[in-house]
Amino acid sequence: MQRLHTHRPLHRHLARWATAISSLLLSCQSPAAPVATPGFSYVRSLGGVDEYRLDSNGLQVLLVPEHSVPVVCFNVTFRAGSRNEGAGSTGSMHLLEHMMGKGSTHYNSPAGNGIKEYEKRTGGQFNAQTLPDLTNYFAVVERDALEGYVAIEADRMRNLWLRENDRQSEMRVVRNEFERSQNKPNVLLMDQVNATAYQALPYHHSELGWRSDIENVSIGKLREFYDTYYWPDNATVTVVGDSEPAATLAMIRKYYGVYPKAPHAIPLVYTEEPEQTGPRRVVVKKPGELGAVSIAHKIPNGLSPDQPAIAVLDVILSGGKASRLYRALVDEGLALSVRAESGTNHDMSLHWVTAELAPGTAHEQAEKALLEQLELIKTGGVTAEEVERAQQQYRAARAYRLDGMYAVANELNNWIATGDWTQFIRFPEAVKKVVPADVQRVANTYLNEDQSTTGWFVPVAKGK
């Protein structure tokens, strides 16, 4: 990822902007009339977000106008991530993300107009990320600096420099990132549980990939990924902030309209996870301070109608000091922290409960306590008061998550990758409708032993 740089005037703008954008989106206000712009088809509007499509190449565009301060976030999401990799090429999409900062035909450091130089001149925030279902690139800049960034971003969509010397230097950066991750017990345990839970789906490897693939993937393989996925009809441009829709769409057409659709169909990931026929376990022994227990259960993809009830279940389990897991494990001195969380992946996801053990707690004891709390919900259900409190906590947490321009774009990113950006608006509305019976039903449907993968992190002394 590229580093973040915040210019002080921009930082002041962002502080003022956060409250305004959160109010706009959380109110789901009616959108303005769609803008008629040559070259674009209007698709739909929902909750302050307007969708357009560039006729010439299928580029999807989402506009979220908000004019309280002269700042805008421009984000490009490619619907491909580590999920689109295979054996021998894991980590390639992340390495390609790093290569995107090395320059393109018309914008590069030797010419003095590359992404790094533009960052220094404008004082904006520039970054990128690779996740299982997406890769995205963004900038948060003052309004007058937007066109310069759009020109750079559009150029590297199809005119990226892909050179072997750059691959070697970025490979070392990515390898160091991988090595650091392997020294973090929580990351290491999650990676191992994922690799054990998923047998067929490519979620079994992390976005960083395996070390041998990071070191050995060829520049030709990186170009193959680039030429397969980096096309307008596999991308979504999201513009959040102080932009006039007509002018913004004209700008996007100017710089992105020069590219055709992909000359091939974007490959589909057609692999399905086979039925799990019994519980799985993994034990990780590495130097560390504290033990941990994680239990992951298979759940449907992020667009499943059961996901809102699962979200409420997670808050009931670990949403604050009144939550069930906190009272049963932290208050009782068994754990220092607990959490319940769920994936909303494009494909089958995982539901997690995790406890970081207090000194002296046996792994068996913590695992038993976690399972007991899941079983209590399955057999006894939850109360209406618990559900109402969880819904309130969910709304508050979402408001906090949307506190910033990129936060809004990133939340949209996640739903774009899952398969439907409108869930950005619809999912919170569905959470409001969850009732206690829904929570008990999803617990009984998915939190079953035969669908579980349990991981222990067992700390050992260095050198063993």
Side-chain angles (χ1 to χ4, degrees):
M1 294 185 183
Q2 300 174 40
R3 65 185 175 87
L4 286 175
H5 175 75
T6 305
H7 195 244
R8 287 187 177 181
L10 177 62
H11 182 70
R12 288 197 295 269
H13 286 320
L14 294 178
R16 289 168 46 206
W17 183 90
T19 300
I21 194 64
S22 296
S23 299
L24 169 73
L25 294 169
L26 293 174
S27 67
C28 295
Q29 71 173 39
S30 299
V35 174
T37 302
F40 281 90
S41 294
Y42 168 76
V43 180
R44 55 186 163 178
S45 296
L46 187 67
V49 184
D50 303 321
E51 179 184 354
Y52 296 85
R53 194 166 297 276
L54 187 53
D55 296 332
S56 62
N57 57 28
L59 178 71
Q60 184 184 47
V61 179
L62 303 179
L63 302 182
V64 189
E66 206 296 311
H67 303 291
S68 61
V69 293
V71 179
V72 63
C73 174
F74 187 91
N75 183 88
V76 182
T77 302
F78 293 96
R79 293 182 288 277
S82 58
R83 166 179 172 269
N84 301 87
E85 302 163 347
S89 61
T90 64
S92 293
M93 297 300 285
H94 181 237
L95 184 52
L96 178 58
E97 174 213 310
H98 279 250
M99 298 286 285
M100 286 283 280
K102 306 306 288 187
S104 57
T105 299
H106 302 104
Y107 299 93
N108 52 74
S109 292
N113 64 355
I115 188 73
K116 295 179 181 178
E117 290 76 23
Y118 199 69
E119 176 185 6
K120 291 177 181 177
R121 287 201 301 274
T122 62
Q125 297 178 352
F126 298 73
N127 216 330
Q129 65 175 342
T130 303
L131 295 173
D133 296 319
L134 67 84
T135 309
N136 76 285
Y137 304 84
F138 78 90
V140 179
V141 295
E142 293 188 345
R143 179 185 55 209
D144 294 341
L146 176 60
E147 184 167 2
Y149 178 73
V150 174
I152 294 170
E153 195 62 78
D155 195 55
R156 62 182 184 174
M157 175 181 272
R158 292 304 319 142
N159 297 312
L160 182 66
W161 283 352
L162 283 165
R163 304 174 296 190
E164 175 59 20
N165 62 322
D166 290 331
R167 185 201 69 82
Q168 291 181 13
S169 64
E170 291 306 312
M171 179 275 291
R172 289 189 286 270
V173 174
V174 172
R175 184 176 59 193
N176 288 339
E177 190 176 342
F178 170 82
E179 290 172 345
R180 291 195 304 272
S181 76
Q182 297 305 289
N183 290 324
K184 298 176 180 178
N186 61 326
V187 174
L188 186 58
L189 180 60
M190 179 172 280
D191 285 351
Q192 290 297 310
V193 171
N194 265 318
T196 305
Y198 291 113
Q199 292 189 336
L201 282 172
Y203 295 135
H204 67 78
H205 65 265
S206 77
E207 308 92 89
L208 293 177
W210 304 115
R211 180 180 178 132
S212 57
D213 290 352
I214 295 169
E215 292 177 332
N216 294 300
V217 67
S218 68
I219 192 69
K221 176 60 71 172
L222 297 181
R223 179 167 289 282
E224 181 181 328
F225 277 103
Y226 179 73
D227 286 338
T228 299
Y229 296 109
Y230 279 52
W231 293 93
D233 46 324
N234 195 45
T236 300
V237 166
T238 304
V239 187
V240 184
D242 188 23
S243 64
E244 294 296 337
T248 301
L249 291 172
M251 186 188 303
I252 292 170
R253 183 186 180 196
K254 173 182 177 181
Y255 292 103
Y256 284 94
V258 298
Y259 302 128
K261 293 182 178 179
H264 52 260
I266 303 299
L268 298 176
V269 176
Y270 50 77
T271 302
E272 296 181 2
E273 186 69 16
E275 180 185 1
Q276 185 173 335
T277 56
R280 300 171 186 166
R281 304 188 70 86
V282 60
V283 176
V284 180
K285 294 183 178 180
K286 291 273 287 187
E289 296 284 329
L290 300 167
V293 173
S294 282
I295 306 172
H297 291 87
K298 300 278 180 60
I299 59 173
N301 66 33
L303 298 183
S304 166
D306 283 341
Q307 281 282 356
I310 294 172
V312 172
L313 169 65
D314 286 341
V315 181
I316 290 172
L317 285 170
S318 69
K321 294 183 179 181
S323 65
R324 293 196 176 202
L325 292 183
Y326 193 96
R327 294 199 311 266
L329 282 90
V330 178
D331 283 350
E332 295 299 319
L334 299 178
L336 299 180
S337 66
V338 290
R339 69 180 184 276
E341 55 192 340
S342 301
T344 53
N345 297 335
H346 186 279
D347 299 316
M348 177 182 284
S349 305
L350 293 179
H351 177 272
W352 298 76
V353 289
T354 300
E356 183 182 54
L357 307 190
T361 299
H363 288 74
E364 295 89 347
Q365 189 179 12
E367 181 180 333
K368 179 182 178 183
L370 289 171
L371 291 172
E372 284 176 347
Q373 292 305 308
L374 300 184
E375 193 63 28
L376 283 172
I377 291 178
K378 291 166 66 176
T379 57
V382 297
T383 67
E385 290 75 18
E386 284 181 301
V387 170
E388 183 179 0
R389 182 167 62 246
Q391 290 165 330
Q392 291 172 346
Q393 288 178 274
Y394 178 87
R395 288 194 295 271
R398 183 172 188 260
Y400 181 80
R401 286 201 310 275
L402 296 181
D403 191 10
M405 272 184 202
Y406 178 64
V408 173
N410 192 51
E411 186 105 342
L412 276 164
N413 273 343
N414 293 333
W415 289 115
I416 291 165
T418 300
D420 182 6
W421 72 262
T422 67
Q423 289 299 308
F424 174 74
I425 302 299
R426 293 190 169 112
F427 192 86
E429 294 301 306
V431 168
K432 293 180 183 177
K433 299 176 182 177
V434 172
V435 298
D438 297 327
V439 177
Q440 185 176 18
R441 176 180 55 79
V442 296
N444 275 293
T445 301
Y446 303 115
L447 306 186
N448 298 313
E449 182 183 20
D450 286 345
Q451 297 296 306
S452 70
T453 300
T454 301
W456 288 6
F457 178 80
V458 180
V460 298
K462 289 185 179 181
K464 290 190 176 181

PDB file of all heavy atoms in Angstrom, residues 379-391:
ATOM      1  N   THR A 379     -30.590 -22.987  22.182  1.00  0.00           N
ATOM      2  CA  THR A 379     -31.663 -23.672  22.918  1.00  0.00           C
ATOM      3  C   THR A 379     -32.637 -22.710  23.587  1.00  0.00           C
ATOM      4  O   THR A 379     -33.837 -22.978  23.659  1.00  0.00           O
ATOM      5  CB  THR A 379     -31.067 -24.597  23.991  1.00  0.00           C
ATOM      6  OG1 THR A 379     -30.222 -23.823  24.869  1.00  0.00           O
ATOM      7  CG2 THR A 379     -30.245 -25.711  23.356  1.00  0.00           C
ATOM      8  N   GLY A 380     -32.130 -21.581  24.086  1.00  0.00           N
ATOM      9  CA  GLY A 380     -32.980 -20.663  24.841  1.00  0.00           C
ATOM     10  C   GLY A 380     -33.341 -19.383  24.135  1.00  0.00           C
ATOM     11  O   GLY A 380     -34.172 -18.610  24.628  1.00  0.00           O
ATOM     12  N   GLY A 381     -32.698 -19.131  22.983  1.00  0.00           N
ATOM     13  CA  GLY A 381     -32.989 -17.918  22.245  1.00  0.00           C
ATOM     14  C   GLY A 381     -32.435 -16.665  22.904  1.00  0.00           C
ATOM     15  O   GLY A 381     -31.597 -16.733  23.820  1.00  0.00           O
ATOM     16  N   VAL A 382     -32.892 -15.523  22.437  1.00  0.00           N
ATOM     17  CA  VAL A 382     -32.474 -14.227  22.972  1.00  0.00           C
ATOM     18  C   VAL A 382     -33.722 -13.418  23.271  1.00  0.00           C
ATOM     19  O   VAL A 382     -34.821 -13.720  22.787  1.00  0.00           O
ATOM     20  CB  VAL A 382     -31.570 -13.468  21.980  1.00  0.00           C
ATOM     21  CG1 VAL A 382     -30.281 -14.238  21.716  1.00  0.00           C
ATOM     22  CG2 VAL A 382     -32.306 -13.201  20.664  1.00  0.00           C
ATOM     23  N   THR A 383     -33.573 -12.376  24.050  1.00  0.00           N
ATOM     24  CA  THR A 383     -34.727 -11.570  24.444  1.00  0.00           C
ATOM     25  C   THR A 383     -34.951 -10.424  23.478  1.00  0.00           C
ATOM     26  O   THR A 383     -34.040 -10.007  22.735  1.00  0.00           O
ATOM     27  CB  THR A 383     -34.536 -10.999  25.854  1.00  0.00           C
ATOM     28  OG1 THR A 383     -33.456 -10.048  25.823  1.00  0.00           O
ATOM     29  CG2 THR A 383     -34.225 -12.109  26.858  1.00  0.00           C
ATOM     30  N   ALA A 384     -36.152  -9.884  23.522  1.00  0.00           N
ATOM     31  CA  ALA A 384     -36.463  -8.712  22.709  1.00  0.00           C
ATOM     32  C   ALA A 384     -35.595  -7.528  23.112  1.00  0.00           C
ATOM     33  O   ALA A 384     -35.190  -6.719  22.265  1.00  0.00           O
ATOM     34  CB  ALA A 384     -37.939  -8.362  22.838  1.00  0.00           C
ATOM     35  N   GLU A 385     -35.303  -7.421  24.416  1.00  0.00           N
ATOM     36  CA  GLU A 385     -34.449  -6.328  24.894  1.00  0.00           C
ATOM     37  C   GLU A 385     -33.039  -6.459  24.328  1.00  0.00           C
ATOM     38  O   GLU A 385     -32.417  -5.445  23.953  1.00  0.00           O
ATOM     39  CB  GLU A 385     -34.414  -6.333  26.422  1.00  0.00           C
ATOM     40  CG  GLU A 385     -35.710  -5.918  27.100  1.00  0.00           C
ATOM     41  CD  GLU A 385     -36.790  -7.007  27.049  1.00  0.00           C
ATOM     42  OE1 GLU A 385     -36.436  -8.191  26.799  1.00  0.00           O
ATOM     43  OE2 GLU A 385     -37.972  -6.679  27.251  1.00  0.00           O
ATOM     44  N   GLU A 386     -32.520  -7.687  24.260  1.00  0.00           N
ATOM     45  CA  GLU A 386     -31.183  -7.894  23.689  1.00  0.00           C
ATOM     46  C   GLU A 386     -31.154  -7.491  22.220  1.00  0.00           C
ATOM     47  O   GLU A 386     -30.190  -6.865  21.751  1.00  0.00           O
ATOM     48  CB  GLU A 386     -30.764  -9.353  23.833  1.00  0.00           C
ATOM     49  CG  GLU A 386     -30.331  -9.755  25.225  1.00  0.00           C
ATOM     50  CD  GLU A 386     -29.906 -11.220  25.273  1.00  0.00           C
ATOM     51  OE1 GLU A 386     -30.738 -12.095  24.932  1.00  0.00           O
ATOM     52  OE2 GLU A 386     -28.747 -11.478  25.643  1.00  0.00           O
ATOM     53  N   VAL A 387     -32.169  -7.864  21.480  1.00  0.00           N
ATOM     54  CA  VAL A 387     -32.218  -7.533  20.060  1.00  0.00           C
ATOM     55  C   VAL A 387     -32.307  -6.025  19.860  1.00  0.00           C
ATOM     56  O   VAL A 387     -31.588  -5.450  19.033  1.00  0.00           O
ATOM     57  CB  VAL A 387     -33.397  -8.246  19.374  1.00  0.00           C
ATOM     58  CG1 VAL A 387     -33.600  -7.717  17.953  1.00  0.00           C
ATOM     59  CG2 VAL A 387     -33.178  -9.752  19.355  1.00  0.00           C
ATOM     60  N   GLU A 388     -33.147  -5.368  20.626  1.00  0.00           N
ATOM     61  CA  GLU A 388     -33.288  -3.919  20.496  1.00  0.00           C
ATOM     62  C   GLU A 388     -31.977  -3.210  20.827  1.00  0.00           C
ATOM     63  O   GLU A 388     -31.560  -2.278  20.125  1.00  0.00           O
ATOM     64  CB  GLU A 388     -34.407  -3.414  21.405  1.00  0.00           C
ATOM     65  CG  GLU A 388     -34.659  -1.917  21.270  1.00  0.00           C
ATOM     66  CD  GLU A 388     -35.793  -1.437  22.150  1.00  0.00           C
ATOM     67  OE1 GLU A 388     -36.389  -2.260  22.869  1.00  0.00           O
ATOM     68  OE2 GLU A 388     -36.085  -0.219  22.129  1.00  0.00           O
ATOM     69  N   ARG A 389     -31.318  -3.658  21.890  1.00  0.00           N
ATOM     70  CA  ARG A 389     -30.043  -3.045  22.256  1.00  0.00           C
ATOM     71  C   ARG A 389     -28.995  -3.290  21.166  1.00  0.00           C
ATOM     72  O   ARG A 389     -28.211  -2.400  20.814  1.00  0.00           O
ATOM     73  CB  ARG A 389     -29.561  -3.605  23.592  1.00  0.00           C
ATOM     74  CG  ARG A 389     -28.250  -2.972  24.074  1.00  0.00           C
ATOM     75  CD  ARG A 389     -27.949  -3.310  25.524  1.00  0.00           C
ATOM     76  NE  ARG A 389     -27.776  -4.752  25.720  1.00  0.00           N
ATOM     77  CZ  ARG A 389     -28.588  -5.518  26.433  1.00  0.00           C
ATOM     78  NH1 ARG A 389     -29.647  -4.987  27.023  1.00  0.00           N
ATOM     79  NH2 ARG A 389     -28.357  -6.808  26.570  1.00  0.00           N
ATOM     80  N   ALA A 390     -28.985  -4.490  20.602  1.00  0.00           N
ATOM     81  CA  ALA A 390     -28.037  -4.807  19.537  1.00  0.00           C
ATOM     82  C   ALA A 390     -28.291  -3.951  18.307  1.00  0.00           C
ATOM     83  O   ALA A 390     -27.337  -3.484  17.649  1.00  0.00           O
ATOM     84  CB  ALA A 390     -28.122  -6.289  19.185  1.00  0.00           C
ATOM     85  N   GLN A 391     -29.540  -3.731  17.965  1.00  0.00           N
ATOM     86  CA  GLN A 391     -29.859  -2.894  16.809  1.00  0.00           C
ATOM     87  C   GLN A 391     -29.405  -1.457  17.030  1.00  0.00           C
ATOM     88  O   GLN A 391     -28.884  -0.812  16.107  1.00  0.00           O
ATOM     89  CB  GLN A 391     -31.363  -2.959  16.534  1.00  0.00           C
ATOM     90  CG  GLN A 391     -31.811  -4.312  16.001  1.00  0.00           C
ATOM     91  CD  GLN A 391     -33.318  -4.521  16.069  1.00  0.00           C
ATOM     92  OE1 GLN A 391     -33.973  -3.975  16.962  1.00  0.00           O
ATOM     93  NE2 GLN A 391     -33.859  -5.299  15.155  1.00  0.00           N
TER      94      GLN A 391
END
